[in-house]
Amino acid sequence: MSLRGSESEDDLAALLEAELAASDGDTGVEEACASDAPAPKKPRLDMAAGTVPAASTQCPPHPGFMGGICIRCGALKGEAEEQGVALTYIHRGLVVSKHEAERVRQGTADRLLAHRKLLLILDLDHTLLNSTRFTEVPPQGAVTEQREGGEQALRAQLEAQPKGAPMLYCLPHMRMWTKLRPGVREFLEAAKDRQVGQVGFELAVYTMGDRDYAGEMAKLLDPAGSLFHGRIISSGDSTQRYVKDLDVVLGRERCVLILDDTEGVWPRHRDNLVQIERYLYFPADAARFGFRSQSLLERAVDEEGGGGALATCLRVMSGVQQQFFEQGDPGAADVRPLLGAARRAVLAECRLLFSRVMPLDCADPSAHPLWQLALKLGAECVRETGQGVTHVVATDTTDKTRWACGQGKHVVSPSWLWCCAYTWQRADEAGFPVKAGGDAAAARAAAPRSEAEDVAQAMAAAGGGAAADVPPPAEERAQPAAAAAGLGKKAAAGTEDATPGDDENTGQRNGPV
């Protein structure tokens, strides 16, 4: 049995054979075919004359299989054949050998480096856009604290927006609303469109939404098809459930940057990741992540476009990329240590002391997410006053905060750390005061979700909430908030009475770590 059963199959077989067997790496296999339709003919393959390369005699080893048939010789895949790398986003049923995948990765890397480019992997949900199901939007609007976040507000916004540059979409065929993040079009064009001789990125999408959703969102972001060229990876293309990995990406890890709002879905590639603040435009998503009544739609505001989160991340990634190509040998350069150095420079000269942030039963404060975040940003963390402390991070007035004020040290809420992380610079401490008695925002920042919980909620929200079967942990998030805000002396079960100013009673004993 062979792929060469019809003219279209001949074209596809020849194209894949040429792409996988080519030694110049001119166009990586990820551009060979981006859908289930037969790939377009390419002049360099001499298909205009109707000629198709003859079956190679080089098999075995087989470079790969399509539906169990070798893409080079047409032989059936044997039971003893090694398990290859599934590249179903390129073409359904396509699996290439590990050797061939490595060869194509190297070819892609060589091609990108020759054009002074790196590969940029982009998440969709809460990174470039926010989608929500019709069923998650109240028909007449839900008024909470004088803020409206329902269909009526969306319809009015839909009518008022410029027709030539829409940012809000109503998609009846998907029963979904989608809001693009401000500045996303400018971000994508700036990332890809570089002058000759300057650095640039080759763009790809990697989402935990399904194939249909990924394709629809890519059309909104790239209607002309000039940005992604079929490099669109969806949940069904991943080799592990709830995990994103570069094993299905045809590019070298040292030449890849990733932009995503969820770190936990990239367990093997954290050093490649630029984490962006979540874009929570719709109420259902804000509630899902523990920020009920705080969505941008409900507050009738939106992010800044030109100087917002996307522009900040592009600045950081472009800086790393510039350093990458300024090194003597780009063929040996690596984005990972460069990105790590840029992150550690944010708080490189700061020494932090935490007060009323970690739960009392936290056996190892250094394992707390905020402590770890501070280390990633280059700060030192200590456990006692003195020791060169520059900042006290607290949720309430305590002995340590009073000491800091008396010594002229900075006293900031935990939100200061998150702001530094997302802006990649030391934020103005004056904008993050610590309020006596605490407040809900400080408690939320001090008691972030566990990574497993965060990933679970991100998966539930993927694809516009198609898999939204994980209820938002409202009780768990409300307990530490209530305690910090002074709304109840025993808001969290098993918590001792919290006395303002007493470091021994945090009111967060059972709060999430």
Side-chain angles (χ1 to χ4, degrees):
M1 184 177 179
S2 171
L3 283 174
R4 296 176 172 83
S6 68
E7 181 179 354
S8 62
E9 290 173 342
D10 284 348
D11 291 354
L12 180 57
L15 180 57
L16 287 173
E17 178 180 325
E19 294 292 351
L20 290 169
S23 60
D24 59 3
D26 178 56
T27 58
V29 67
E30 74 276 10
E31 294 188 30
C33 182
S35 69
D36 295 327
K41 297 179 180 180
K42 293 188 177 181
R44 71 181 183 85
L45 296 177
D46 196 26
M47 288 186 180
T51 60
V52 177
S56 172
T57 59
Q58 298 177 7
C59 295
H62 303 285
F65 296 87
M66 181 103 70
I69 301 173
C70 177
I71 59 178
R72 179 188 288 157
C73 71
L76 291 173
K77 181 179 181 180
E79 293 183 0
E81 196 74 33
E82 69 166 355
Q83 183 176 359
V85 179
L87 301 176
T88 53
Y89 66 96
I90 295 174
H91 200 286
R92 190 167 295 172
L94 175 62
V95 179
V96 300
S97 68
K98 294 179 180 178
H99 172 77
E100 193 64 26
E102 282 300 301
R103 191 193 64 74
V104 177
R105 286 191 184 101
Q106 187 59 51
T108 301
D110 292 343
R111 172 176 60 83
L112 291 176
L113 295 180
H115 291 85
R116 293 178 60 81
K117 286 189 174 185
L118 297 178
L119 182 59
L120 176 56
I121 308 296
L122 301 167
D123 174 51
L124 287 179
D125 294 299
H126 313 117
T127 297
L128 301 184
L129 50 81
N130 186 197
S131 297
T132 193
R133 300 282 166 175
F134 283 175
T135 54
E136 293 187 307
V137 177
Q140 300 302 324
V143 179
T144 305
E145 297 180 1
Q146 305 304 315
R147 301 165 183 173
E148 186 172 307
E151 183 178 351
Q152 186 175 5
L154 290 173
R155 293 288 179 187
Q157 184 178 334
L158 194 67
E159 291 297 322
Q161 69 179 346
K163 302 301 181 183
M167 296 296 287
L168 176 66
Y169 293 86
C170 179
L171 307 172
H173 61 294
M174 301 185 71
R175 300 191 59 76
M176 180 182 296
W177 289 91
T178 294
K179 174 65 170 63
L180 303 187
R181 193 168 201 158
V184 65
R185 298 193 190 280
E186 295 79 3
F187 165 83
L188 293 173
E189 289 297 332
K192 179 181 183 296
D193 189 17
R194 289 288 190 264
Q195 300 286 332
V196 175
Q198 293 183 333
V199 296
F201 294 99
E202 186 164 275
L203 307 179
V205 165
Y206 199 149
T207 176
M208 280 305 181
D210 62 26
R211 181 190 298 266
D212 291 339
Y213 175 78
E216 289 289 338
M217 296 303 105
K219 290 177 184 177
L220 300 184
L221 295 167
D222 183 21
S226 61
L227 298 174
F228 307 128
H229 296 286
R231 294 180 292 268
I232 304 172
I233 305 172
S234 60
S235 57
D237 304 312
S238 294
T239 53
Q240 301 179 61
R241 193 178 184 186
Y242 304 146
V243 169
K244 296 181 180 181
D245 199 282
L246 295 181
D247 57 355
V248 296
V249 176
L250 296 177
R252 291 293 184 196
E253 292 181 34
R254 65 180 185 83
C255 303
V256 176
L257 288 173
I258 302 166
L259 184 65
D260 203 313
D261 66 285
T262 308
E263 179 180 1
V265 297
W266 293 98
R268 293 205 312 128
H269 306 291
R270 299 174 193 266
D271 293 340
N272 298 79
L273 176 68
V274 174
Q275 187 174 7
I276 191 170
E277 186 175 8
R278 283 198 171 106
Y279 183 59
L280 300 175
Y281 189 78
F282 295 109
D285 283 88
R288 186 174 285 118
F289 287 103
F291 299 98
R292 192 174 301 279
S293 301
Q294 297 181 60
S295 70
L296 295 171
L297 176 61
E298 290 169 289
R299 293 159 54 196
V301 297
D302 208 345
E303 287 186 357
E304 182 182 355
L310 288 171
T312 296
C313 291
L314 181 59
R315 171 180 56 81
V316 172
M317 294 186 294
S318 296
V320 168
Q321 189 180 43
Q322 192 71 44
Q323 294 179 52
F324 181 97
F325 285 103
E326 286 176 352
Q327 299 188 17
D329 181 12
D334 194 325
V335 299
R336 291 168 289 190
L338 299 175
L339 185 61
R343 185 180 287 111
R344 290 190 297 274
V346 174
L347 297 180
E349 299 181 0
C350 298
R351 183 169 289 187
L352 275 53
L353 173 66
F354 292 95
S355 179
R356 198 165 294 182
V357 171
M358 285 71 173
L360 284 175
D361 58 357
C362 182
D364 182 10
S366 65
H368 191 276
L370 284 178
W371 189 299
Q372 290 296 311
L373 177 62
L375 295 182
K376 288 181 182 179
L377 297 177
E380 293 183 59
C381 298
V382 298
R383 303 191 185 196
E384 300 295 337
T385 56
Q387 304 183 53
V389 169
T390 60
H391 296 72
V392 171
V393 182
T395 60
D396 198 352
T397 300
T398 67
D399 292 339
K400 291 174 182 176
T401 63
R402 284 189 284 267
W403 168 84
C405 292
Q407 296 293 318
K409 311 295 184 182
H410 295 290
V411 177
V412 294
S413 69
S415 296
W416 176 76
L417 269 176
W418 292 111
C419 183
C420 294
Y422 289 134
T423 61
W424 289 74
Q425 61 185 5
R426 178 171 161 178
D428 183 2
E429 289 86 356
F432 300 88
V434 175
K435 301 177 181 179
D439 62 17
R444 278 196 298 269
R449 295 161 180 261
S450 68
E451 183 171 281
E453 183 183 16
D454 190 59
V455 169
Q457 293 301 324
M459 294 302 99
D469 54 358
V470 182
E475 294 79 12
E476 290 84 345
R477 297 285 275 176
Q479 287 176 354
L487 300 181
K489 294 292 186 179
K490 298 181 180 180
T495 301
E496 299 178 6
D497 288 354
T499 303
D502 182 358
D503 283 346
E504 299 304 315
N505 297 294
T506 68
Q508 296 183 39
R509 177 169 298 220
N510 291 333
V513 177

